Amino acid sequence: MDHNTSGSKYDNLDQNDSWKNSYCLHVKNPTSSSFRHLLKTLAMGQGLAGLICGTAITSQYLATEFHVDTPMLQSFLNYILLCVTYTPILLCRTGDGNILQILRSRGWKYLLLGLVDVEANYAVVKAYQFTTLTSVQLLDCFIIPVLMILSWWFLKTRYKPVHYVAVCICILGVGAMVGADLLAGRDQGSTSNILLGDGLVLLSATLYAVSNVCQEYTVKNLSRVEFLGMVGLFGSIISTVQMVILERNQIAAVRWILLFSGFALCLYTLYSCMPIVVNLSSATSVNLSLLTADLFSLFCGIFLFHYDFSGLYLVSLVVILIGFITFNAVPTPTNATDHKKDLIQNAVIFRLC
């Protein structure tokens, strides 16, 4: 007997009718439904960009005002929050979703994923010690082509010419932002070892791309809670070891708990919400929307750090959003099987309507 079904059989019939009616409305008015989906994806993507802006501002305060250099400690707080929130849910599950079963069947994969994620966060922060802000902003776009290649290879995503055009438009928008920085004299950062710094940015972008593709596969085929719980678990372990080795002296001098808390909450919310948006669209689409995060940071910096304003910033924002909308306006099919499945499902629904 199924103890989860407490209502009558008519409750299920009502639910089926409700689902059928909503799907029929989608079939009869696909343009309206697609437009709402696009707006939802755009709004949620910009929400994620706002969270990245929050991490950037708190990091800027820690680095410039209080001379704090503890990237592993900042990441550690995020992983601990993820572990405390999501890993206990896996402990309470039964069957294949239980944490013990996950560790037995694919624990080593999550260990590697946790390592990739931790080092991606660390590499991009260390890059600022060796190269300039301009180099970081430009080379960080390397994540987009790497994501597209990995998605094509592992997720079987098939891009159309319009998607490549949209990516080029977004990168042009980033170029406008970098140009505005140069004109405003904001090419900050070190030039002590540009080659090493640029290499760290490219390494970070590649590692982020691997992490994001794994995230997309997990949330679409397994569960969001499993991804966050396991990344939180292994990320906490790895970041703890690395933090003790590299930052034990700096940690003893930490005083600005409020800023650390603000950074950790922004990053924790970003990690928690990003799988939702990835499931709604794709890892590539989400990272295109995140290109506006630097612009949001610049807009905030005008008021907080007295940056000079440039009209090119607005041009850059508009161009990136146009590229993002263009990318999401055309679906990215995964394979012919999914296309046939959609055709069969739509034919059945048309007969029901």
Side-chain angles (χ1 to χ4, degrees):
M1 180 180 293
D2 187 0
H3 296 284
N4 293 325
T5 305
S6 57
S8 68
K9 62 180 180 180
Y10 298 105
D11 294 332
N12 293 330
L13 291 175
D14 291 338
Q15 292 174 359
N16 291 336
D17 288 341
S18 176
W19 171 84
K20 184 184 74 174
N21 291 335
S22 63
Y23 197 94
C24 287
L25 288 174
H26 166 73
V27 171
K28 291 175 180 177
N29 194 6
T31 303
S32 176
S33 178
S34 299
F35 182 70
R36 287 196 301 269
H37 182 272
L38 177 60
L39 287 180
K40 184 178 181 180
T41 305
L42 176 62
M44 295 179 74
Q46 295 313 294
L48 296 180
L51 291 170
I52 292 182
C53 172
T55 64
I57 291 173
T58 51
S59 292
Q60 182 83 349
Y61 267 114
L62 287 169
T64 59
E65 301 295 329
F66 308 111
H67 308 290
V68 174
D69 180 25
T70 55
M72 285 313 308
L73 173 60
Q74 292 167 236
S75 296
F76 166 78
L77 295 174
N78 168 57
Y79 292 121
I80 283 294
L81 288 174
L82 292 175
C83 184
V84 170
T85 305
Y86 297 102
T87 306
I89 299 176
L90 299 178
L91 285 169
C92 297
R93 286 182 173 179
T94 58
D96 293 337
N98 181 264
I99 190 170
L100 295 179
Q101 292 297 327
I102 294 173
L103 290 173
R104 290 194 189 102
S105 60
R106 46 189 179 274
W108 65 273
K109 297 180 181 178
Y110 284 114
L111 172 62
L112 293 178
L113 178 58
L115 179 63
V116 165
D117 200 75
V118 169
E119 300 311 324
N121 287 324
Y122 184 73
V124 71
V125 174
K126 294 297 292 183
Y128 283 98
Q129 298 180 12
F130 303 103
T131 191
T132 62
L133 174 66
T134 300
S135 293
V136 174
Q137 289 174 329
L138 280 175
L139 294 177
D140 199 43
C141 294
F142 185 65
I143 189 176
I144 304 299
V146 176
L147 263 175
M148 296 181 77
I149 293 172
L150 293 176
S151 297
W152 182 87
W153 185 263
F154 293 103
L155 303 179
K156 308 304 179 185
T157 303
R158 296 297 175 254
Y159 297 101
K160 299 178 181 179
V162 66
H163 296 120
Y164 297 105
V165 172
V167 169
C168 292
I169 293 174
C170 289
I171 293 177
L172 283 175
V174 175
M177 175 182 65
V178 172
D181 284 344
L182 292 175
L183 291 175
R186 286 197 62 246
D187 193 22
Q188 301 151 324
S190 172
T191 57
S192 61
N193 194 332
I194 292 179
L195 186 61
L196 174 60
D198 291 351
L200 286 173
V201 178
L202 294 176
L203 174 63
S204 173
T206 303
L207 293 176
Y208 273 131
V210 172
S211 176
N212 287 173
V213 168
C214 293
Q215 178 179 157
E216 181 175 350
Y217 176 84
T218 305
V219 299
K220 289 185 176 180
N221 294 277
L222 296 171
S223 78
R224 166 179 168 268
V225 172
E226 178 175 323
F227 172 80
L228 294 173
M230 298 308 292
V231 168
L233 174 63
F234 287 111
S236 298
I237 297 171
I238 296 169
S239 61
T240 298
V241 174
Q242 196 163 333
M243 179 178 62
V244 170
I245 295 174
L246 299 176
E247 299 177 0
R248 58 183 180 275
N249 295 328
Q250 293 92 326
I251 293 173
V254 167
R255 296 291 183 273
W256 305 100
I257 304 300
L258 185 61
L259 284 174
F260 276 101
S261 301
F263 177 91
L265 287 175
C266 285
L267 194 58
Y268 166 76
T269 308
L270 173 69
Y271 268 69
S272 296
C273 296
M274 187 169 176
I276 299 174
V277 189
V278 168
N279 193 35
L280 190 66
S281 53
S282 68
T284 304
S285 172
V286 170
N287 277 274
L288 286 175
S289 69
L290 295 182
L291 293 177
T292 60
D294 287 333
L295 284 168
F296 292 161
S297 299
L298 289 171
F299 293 146
C300 293
I302 292 172
F303 301 98
L304 298 175
F305 306 110
H306 308 293
Y307 294 160
D308 293 328
F309 176 77
S310 171
L312 279 176
Y313 291 144
L314 294 178
V315 173
S316 174
L317 177 62
V318 171
V319 171
I320 291 174
L321 292 179
I322 289 174
F324 174 78
I325 292 171
T326 303
F327 185 92
N328 286 275
V330 179
T332 52
T334 52
N335 52 47
T337 303
D338 288 346
H339 180 63
K340 291 178 180 178
K341 187 189 299 182
D342 289 340
L343 290 177
I344 294 172
Q345 187 179 44
N346 287 342
V348 172
I349 295 299
F350 270 119
R351 294 191 62 172
L352 289 173
C353 290

